[in-house]
Amino acid sequence: MAKDYSQLSKEELVKIVEKLESRKKYGLIWDEEKVKEQFEKDAENALPVLKEIASKEITDKDKSKPVNILIEGDNYHALSVLNFTHQGIVDAIYIDPPYNTGAKDWKYNNDFVDSNDSYRHSKWISFMDKRLRLAKNLLKEDGIICVTIDDYEIPRLMILMEEIFGEHNHLGTIVIRNNPAGRSTTKGVSITHEYAIFFGKSEISQVCRLERNQTQIDRYDQKDEKGAFEWVNFRKPGSMRVESPSMFYPIFITPDSVRIPNIQWDSKKEEWIALEKPKKGEQVIYPIDDNGEERRWRYGVERARAEINEFKPKIQKRKLHAYVKGRLNDEGILPMTWWDKKEYSSTAYGTNLLKDIFSELQVFSYPKSIFAVMDCLKVLSDKNDALFLDFFAGSGTTGHAVMELNKEDNGSRSFILCTNNENRICEEITYPRIKNVMVGYKNRRGGKIDGLGGSLKYFKTKFIKKQSNGDDFKTRITSECTEMLCLREGVFDEVKKTEHYRIFQQGNKTLAVYYSLARTSLPVLKKELEKIGGDKTLYCFTLDPIGLSKTEFAGWHDVMLEPIPQKILDVYKQIYEY
């Protein structure tokens, strides 16, 4: 029902006008007040922590391999926790959020959203906005996020991504032919594709190259002492003279030779001036195409002169052209904007793969092709120890893809997956898939599939109720935050537990947590840590928001000291109102 503004007081009307004046003039605007999420209600009187489900832990025999993480719970709460444990250290994010097709394909506050919902787009934008802003904090400065989406929400998603990550940090959008058979719509168009949108966290973010397919490799059908090559026109297609004036210069050519003449750069005119005339039989050519457009050469003058033996003349359309050897480099090629490999089919390499893993006909609707996800991850990062995050984990394809990449190059990549447990998806699909892929399974034909190895920790979000007594609340947070500290430090193996403190170790790293305001056990803990080498960190309970007392820790050497729970609360103050 519309609000009757005539009944409002002057003060109330002024507040409304001020709010309207404060709104941005360009970008997405939606009614946030009418689309509050359940998680916001859940967090009104509580803050999230993580609790490990020890029975679901998977341990690899090879202790040098990284520990992967699966978090069960609303992904907003999971991202909140990760803002404490992983801020600024995630290499890349890959997510496949709900597409909001209007066909009741996702829930908002426990209710399916359909095409008749007048707040359908506002709900989706609000849902994504909150999570993307938290996710951005987790990326390294050169990190990249990839979001897959279809036509229903791509217009709004693009504006939202530009608003959060910056228009200049849009690295590209790839169209993936993921459904060759097509999906019919009410408009009568059969959809065969989806989009993968790539945004960098900052201007230093760069997409990585992909290996060439066999067809691309076969183009390099010539060989010399340097290796494989193909002859390509030295004129660079698609590039104009105005973009690189110094790459527009004369070349002297005959049917038998190519040479760079003696030329001089005129900085005022921004052009090369020939200091010699062509010899008898030589023609002068420039990078001008058949339409008379002034293009540019592939190389600058110095490189062209130094590599002149790589050139040859070639007659094409009755004109002489300069051709150069295009070599097959080891870096691969930049990702193209159209992906149509048959391996990207969601049915053939997503649905059918899940049928094999679970030996069941219908496990999960619309799983991604593992090969499409693997190639997206390759574009996101070429580090073989990269940390990937997926906070819409679904059937766990991203985790599976990370393990397959490690299998290819014996890498040590790791993943963090977050998903709720609606319809028991985390317990009955995400986790079992990851477990089967790690330890091995029998496919639906009875064949044995070897495990890819790897370790996994399974956590659930839990809430600590806020209380009127702030000290009691800090005490409870401290007693419940152990898993968060282990996750933050990447140290999980407990080696000692006493009434007042616990010690964990992983490789050459040691984590100690001191839970008591009584400092009677601190001297004992100090002696314990002095016996241990490597990197050492102590999280110590204090009610003082300023931090730990220097006098209490006089003489502590080679130990990083951190106050709790204030360190956690400082992060949560940026996220929750409390």
Side-chain angles (χ1 to χ4, degrees):
M1 184 177 177
K3 186 179 288 186
D4 185 358
Y5 292 100
S6 66
Q7 302 300 313
L8 300 181
S9 67
K10 179 181 177 181
E11 290 76 16
E12 290 171 323
L13 288 170
V14 168
K15 283 184 178 179
I16 291 172
V17 172
E18 287 176 344
K19 185 174 182 180
L20 289 172
E21 286 289 329
S22 67
R23 281 185 171 180
K24 57 193 175 188
K25 302 301 184 285
Y26 173 78
L28 284 174
I29 298 174
W30 65 93
D31 197 332
E32 293 183 77
E33 293 181 3
K34 293 187 178 179
V35 291
K36 283 218 169 187
E37 279 191 72
Q38 184 62 44
F39 83 79
E40 296 175 273
K41 300 170 186 175
D42 292 340
E44 282 176 357
N45 295 300
L47 292 177
V49 293
L50 295 180
K51 303 312 294 180
E52 183 182 0
I53 310 301
S55 61
K56 295 186 182 296
E57 180 180 11
I58 303 169
T59 305
D60 196 289
K61 293 178 181 178
D62 185 352
K63 295 292 184 182
S64 66
K65 289 188 176 181
V67 177
N68 301 287
I69 305 299
L70 174 57
I71 301 175
E72 175 194 322
D74 186 286
N75 55 10
Y76 187 88
H77 298 312
L79 288 167
S80 301
V81 171
L82 292 172
N83 263 256
F84 170 70
T85 64
H86 283 76
Q87 194 164 134
I89 63 174
V90 172
D91 290 287
I93 297 172
Y94 173 92
I95 56 172
D96 178 39
Y99 284 5
N100 198 24
T101 64
K104 294 185 177 182
D105 58 341
W106 75 292
K107 284 184 177 181
Y108 192 87
N109 291 347
N110 300 317
D111 294 321
F112 282 109
V113 178
D114 63 26
S115 57
N116 297 317
D117 189 331
S118 58
Y119 287 96
R120 169 182 152 206
H121 295 300
S122 286
K123 289 177 178 179
W124 192 87
I125 296 164
S126 180
F127 173 80
M128 292 298 296
D129 176 72
K130 295 181 179 76
R131 288 155 177 81
L132 287 170
R133 291 187 187 278
L134 288 183
K136 182 183 177 183
N137 298 335
L138 305 180
L139 286 170
K140 293 179 178 177
E141 278 306 298
D142 64 347
I144 304 176
I145 182 172
C146 171
V147 186
T148 56
I149 198 70
D150 71 1
D151 290 285
Y152 286 97
E153 289 293 358
I154 191 171
R156 285 156 289 278
L157 178 63
M158 282 298 297
I159 297 175
L160 184 62
M161 296 290 284
E162 288 177 355
E163 187 173 292
I164 295 172
F165 291 91
E167 181 181 355
H168 54 287
N169 288 325
H170 178 214
L171 303 177
T173 298
I174 294 171
V175 183
I176 304 176
R177 187 170 176 257
N178 68 320
N179 188 359
R183 172 168 55 88
S184 60
T185 67
T186 56
K187 303 294 184 183
V189 175
S190 183
I191 298 175
T192 63
H193 71 281
E194 65 180 4
Y195 305 93
I197 303 172
F198 293 82
F199 271 80
K201 183 177 182 179
S202 71
E203 292 182 357
I204 65 173
S205 305
Q206 290 186 325
V207 296
C208 302
R209 293 173 178 262
L210 292 172
E211 62 268 25
R212 290 177 171 83
N213 59 38
Q214 195 56 49
T215 301
Q216 292 165 334
I217 293 172
D218 290 343
R219 281 174 34 206
Y220 297 83
D221 56 354
Q222 306 287 315
K223 272 193 176 182
D224 62 10
E225 67 279 359
K226 292 182 181 179
F229 68 90
E230 64 169 337
W231 287 108
V232 294
N233 197 317
F234 189 49
R235 185 181 67 236
K236 187 167 184 176
S239 299
M240 308 301 291
R241 175 183 182 176
V242 292
E243 297 168 359
S244 305
S246 64
M247 304 284 239
F248 187 93
Y249 51 86
I251 290 179
F252 290 179
I253 191 169
T254 74
D256 302 307
S257 66
V258 177
R259 75 180 181 95
I260 311 299
N262 188 17
I263 54 179
Q264 181 176 301
W265 178 251
D266 187 324
S267 56
K268 289 183 179 179
K269 294 182 178 180
E270 286 197 323
E271 65 179 44
W272 290 100
I273 306 298
L275 301 180
E276 63 172 299
K277 293 182 179 180
K279 296 176 182 177
K280 186 178 179 180
E282 287 183 329
Q283 296 180 28
V284 182
I285 63 169
Y286 287 89
I288 299 174
D289 66 20
D290 294 339
N291 298 318
E293 295 278 0
E294 291 186 339
R295 303 275 179 188
R296 49 158 282 200
W297 299 123
R298 292 176 183 266
Y299 309 157
V301 172
E302 295 306 318
R303 182 181 173 187
R305 187 173 279 132
E307 298 181 14
I308 198 66
N309 291 332
E310 298 277 291
F311 288 75
K312 80 169 184 178
K314 185 175 180 180
I315 297 175
Q316 204 171 39
K317 295 182 180 179
R318 298 183 181 180
K319 291 182 181 179
L320 276 171
H321 295 264
Y323 271 65
V324 68
K325 293 177 180 178
R327 297 206 173 268
L328 183 65
N329 61 56
D330 296 329
E331 295 178 355
I333 59 170
L334 288 171
M336 296 183 179
T337 55
W338 169 243
W339 290 7
D340 62 350
K341 286 176 12 179
K342 64 181 179 61
E343 288 84 4
Y344 296 149
S345 166
S346 295
T347 300
Y349 299 95
T351 302
N352 290 342
L353 178 59
L354 280 186
K355 289 177 183 178
D356 265 358
I357 293 173
F358 287 91
S359 296
E360 295 179 27
L361 292 180
Q362 183 62 40
V363 181
F364 184 81
S365 299
Y366 312 117
K368 284 280 183 285
S369 159
I370 190 166
F371 297 106
V373 177
M374 287 171 67
D375 280 353
C376 284
L377 298 186
K378 289 177 182 178
V379 172
L380 288 169
S381 177
D382 57 7
K383 302 172 187 173
N384 70 355
D385 61 349
L387 171 59
F388 294 98
L389 167 66
D390 181 352
F391 53 92
F392 288 98
S395 66
T397 305
T398 301
H400 189 169
V402 169
M403 290 186 277
E404 290 288 353
L405 290 179
N406 284 337
K407 179 184 175 183
E408 285 185 356
D409 62 5
N410 197 31
S412 54
R413 300 169 188 82
S414 57
F415 60 80
I416 301 174
L417 305 182
C418 310
T419 180
N420 60 31
N421 199 33
E422 185 178 299
N423 297 324
R424 302 183 65 81
I425 182 177
C426 191
E427 290 182 290
E428 296 184 358
I429 298 177
T430 320
Y431 172 73
R433 177 184 189 170
I434 296 300
K435 181 179 180 180
N436 284 351
V437 173
M438 282 184 171
V439 304
Y441 60 95
K442 283 188 177 180
N443 62 25
R444 52 185 165 157
R445 294 170 295 280
K448 183 181 178 182
I449 306 299
D450 292 334
L452 299 180
S455 297
L456 180 82
K457 291 277 188 178
Y458 188 117
F459 297 98
K460 289 181 71 170
T461 53
K462 176 184 176 180
F463 294 93
I464 306 301
K465 292 288 183 183
K466 288 177 256 185
Q467 299 168 330
S468 57
N469 186 323
D471 289 352
D472 286 348
F473 177 57
K474 287 184 176 182
T475 302
R476 289 200 62 209
I477 282 276
T478 299
S479 67
E480 298 280 5
C481 73
T482 306
E483 284 91 338
M484 290 173 64
L485 301 179
C486 289
L487 188 56
R488 178 184 172 98
E489 298 298 327
V491 179
F492 300 101
D493 295 340
E494 188 167 30
V495 295
K496 185 154 189 177
K497 182 177 182 179
T498 71
E499 181 184 357
H500 289 160
Y501 65 84
R502 296 166 73 177
I503 299 176
F504 302 82
Q505 287 185 310
Q506 202 90 21
N508 69 337
K509 296 177 69 175
T510 300
L511 163 67
V513 187
Y514 196 90
Y515 301 91
S516 176
L517 285 178
R519 302 311 199 205
T520 52
S521 297
L522 268 181
V524 179
L525 175 58
K526 180 174 180 289
K527 288 181 180 179
E528 295 245 25
L529 293 178
E530 286 173 347
K531 299 175 185 175
I532 302 171
D535 299 328
K536 293 170 281 189
T537 303
L538 168 64
Y539 287 86
C540 185
F541 177 39
T542 178
L543 295 174
D544 191 342
I546 298 176
L548 298 170
S549 167
K550 290 183 179 180
T551 57
E552 286 181 338
F553 292 91
W556 285 65
H557 302 295
D558 302 322
V559 179
M560 178 72 71
L561 302 173
E562 300 280 9
I564 50 170
Q566 197 58 46
K567 197 90 174 178
I568 301 169
L569 297 178
D570 286 345
V571 173
Y572 280 174
K573 278 181 182 177
Q574 307 299 315
I575 303 171
Y576 298 98
E577 295 179 7
Y578 70 92

